[in-house]
Amino acid sequence: MNTSSTLAIDLPSGWERAADRALAIDGVIMILGGPDRGKSTFCRYLLDRARAESRAAAFIDGDLGQSHLGPPATLGLNFYPPRPPDDSGLFPDVLYFIGQTSPPGRMMELVVGLRHLADIARRRGQYRIIVNTSGFIGGPAAHRLKLAKAESLAPRLVIGLQQEQELASILAPLQRFRPEAVLTLPVSAQAQPKPFQQRRLYRQERFAAYFQTARLRHFPLEHLAWLGFPFGQGRLLPAASQQWLGQILNHTPVLRAEEVAQGFIVLVDRRLTESDLAATEAELGQKKIYWAHWRQLEYRLVGLLDRHLLTLALGLLPPSPWNHQFLGIVTPLPADRLSQVKFCRLGKMRLSPDGQELFEANTRFAPTDGPVGA
């Protein structure tokens, strides 16, 4: 969010009336719009108005890439008061880890996360909840996502900031259901498109600032439950069985192996080929091999969660030799809070320590939302 007061901007027609209506109701106010349409500025305007009128509000930032609450790849929740309206800190009141900076591939997690944060706000006695959404509006997937968010959050008011009719296909079903609960507003003349490189640099700076105080922490593998691939999904095989599995995997070093109902999840020290898998699965009968390459986990973004699945902190998996007892994670989480970590969720992103996004060409990245290589 812009740190200058949005009360001083030249307000587009209808913004003030929309704010009057939004601040007069209890419930979710959901803000829609494409990239660089002024959604964050409008949310800041609402929070400024709420403070000026002594109205409490909660704000949920649902923009993964250009987030203003918390680091990118997360959802953030703040309460106003006590937070000031211009708060754009990296450590919001509540954080929810998604693990990537764009919705496709994590749309279910996005809907669940937004609903989870809205429920937390309600349980804490806050019933005026402003929800900013991402600029992902084009195509059938975006259409499904926005409607799923609306169905899950049940907003009392939906405000769309649009140029021409770019939100028409998303707003039309909502208008048919509750026409009085949908408003469209013009885009501020001060809203300017940001080049791709500027948006990437913003993410890099946010990540770098977030990890500035991070330290290497060691977590016992057997005490850390993983939500999704690649660890803790099945029965850990004894060393002899892991060695046997490596032999039939074309003499591949197996670092860790677990047995699940459909087959085996293996962590290996080299990439497996289709011929490796075909030969092994033929020998195993109907059993499948789900695999991850240990070196391709380097610099992966992870979420460290408490027993309520709320995000305590983000972390990075640094390059290191495999240790079957402990997993090293670089995180800003203070040492006295490490015992609160009960779950770990693997993100899709890879980051350098200075916040740069790392990419690999022609890579079949095994550990993403679930086992790959089947």
Side-chain angles (χ1 to χ4, degrees):
M1 290 181 190
N2 194 326
T3 56
S4 62
S5 174
T6 53
L7 291 174
I9 69 172
D10 183 17
L11 297 178
S13 173
W15 276 35
E16 190 171 358
R17 290 191 301 274
D20 290 340
R21 181 171 171 186
L23 296 177
I25 65 174
D26 287 338
V28 171
I29 301 110
M30 185 173 170
I31 313 301
L32 303 179
D36 305 315
R37 294 296 186 257
K39 299 184 300 298
S40 295
T41 299
F42 183 74
C43 290
R44 168 68 190 282
Y45 171 62
L46 287 179
L47 293 173
D48 272 330
R49 282 280 306 273
R51 178 182 62 171
E53 298 169 17
S54 299
R55 300 174 186 263
F59 175 54
I60 298 174
D61 189 345
D63 192 336
L64 297 175
Q66 302 296 295
S67 56
H68 296 281
L69 294 186
T74 66
L75 308 175
L77 165 64
N78 265 357
F79 294 92
Y80 305 88
R83 298 273 188 163
D86 62 352
D87 187 304
S88 58
L90 291 162
F91 299 91
D93 292 324
V94 186
L95 198 62
Y96 191 93
F97 180 75
I98 299 298
Q100 64 183 45
T101 58
S102 60
R106 288 285 167 102
M107 295 199 296
M108 179 177 65
E109 289 85 349
L110 262 174
V111 174
V112 171
L114 288 174
R115 176 58 186 266
H116 198 25
L117 295 184
D119 288 345
I120 289 171
R122 294 187 186 99
R123 287 198 299 269
R124 296 190 185 180
Q126 182 52 259
Y127 299 104
R128 184 177 295 108
I129 306 169
I130 302 165
V131 179
N132 191 20
T133 60
S134 73
F136 180 55
I137 63 169
H143 184 274
R144 293 196 307 272
L145 176 60
K146 291 299 189 286
L147 293 183
K149 289 179 181 179
E151 185 174 353
S152 176
L153 294 170
R156 292 283 306 278
L157 182 63
V158 175
I159 298 177
L161 281 72
Q162 67 173 344
Q163 289 181 346
E164 299 177 349
Q165 295 295 311
E166 60 189 356
L167 295 177
S169 64
I170 295 173
L171 295 178
L174 303 177
Q175 289 171 321
R176 283 195 290 269
F177 179 62
R178 288 183 60 198
E180 76 284 356
V182 178
L183 292 178
T184 57
L185 295 178
V187 175
S188 170
Q190 298 181 8
Q192 298 295 324
K194 300 182 186 71
F196 173 77
Q197 290 299 332
Q198 181 180 344
R199 300 171 75 86
R200 179 182 287 181
L201 180 60
Y202 175 83
R203 296 194 298 269
Q204 178 183 340
E205 291 173 345
R206 297 283 289 186
F207 276 129
Y210 182 83
F211 284 106
Q212 186 174 9
T213 61
R215 297 291 182 269
L216 178 63
R217 310 294 187 184
H218 291 92
F219 295 85
L221 266 174
E222 300 313 314
H223 296 165
L224 192 63
W226 286 74
L227 299 177
F229 207 55
F231 305 115
Q233 307 303 299
R235 181 181 67 87
L236 181 65
L237 294 182
S241 298
Q242 294 189 33
Q243 186 176 10
W244 162 79
L245 195 56
Q247 290 296 317
I248 64 174
L249 270 170
N250 197 17
H251 302 283
T252 299
V254 172
L255 305 177
R256 181 184 174 93
E258 299 176 13
E259 185 174 13
V260 294
Q262 300 82 9
F264 299 95
I265 296 175
V266 296
L267 187 66
V268 294
D269 206 19
R270 72 169 179 87
R271 292 179 57 82
L272 298 179
T273 67
E274 294 299 330
S275 60
D276 292 333
L277 296 171
T280 303
E281 290 168 356
E283 185 166 344
L284 293 173
Q286 298 301 313
K287 296 289 187 179
K288 305 292 289 184
I289 297 292
Y290 306 98
W291 64 277
H293 184 191
W294 170 239
R295 294 300 174 187
Q296 286 188 299
L297 290 178
E298 294 177 354
Y299 298 119
R300 285 292 286 272
L301 189 67
V302 298
L304 302 176
L305 317 181
D306 68 10
R307 61 189 180 93
H308 301 295
L309 301 184
L310 295 178
T311 304
L312 296 167
L314 273 60
L316 292 174
L317 299 177
S320 64
W322 168 250
N323 185 314
H324 69 279
Q325 292 182 320
F326 295 94
L327 189 68
I329 298 177
V330 175
T331 177
L333 187 67
D336 61 358
R337 300 190 67 192
L338 297 181
S339 62
Q340 299 177 29
V341 177
K342 302 301 180 184
F343 298 92
C344 189
R345 176 172 280 154
L346 191 70
K348 286 190 171 184
M349 298 186 68
R350 298 175 68 242
L351 296 174
S352 67
D354 65 355
Q356 292 189 62
E357 299 168 31
L358 304 177
F359 303 93
E360 294 186 58
N362 302 318
T363 297
R364 185 169 71 165
F365 226 3
T368 52
D369 289 322
V372 178

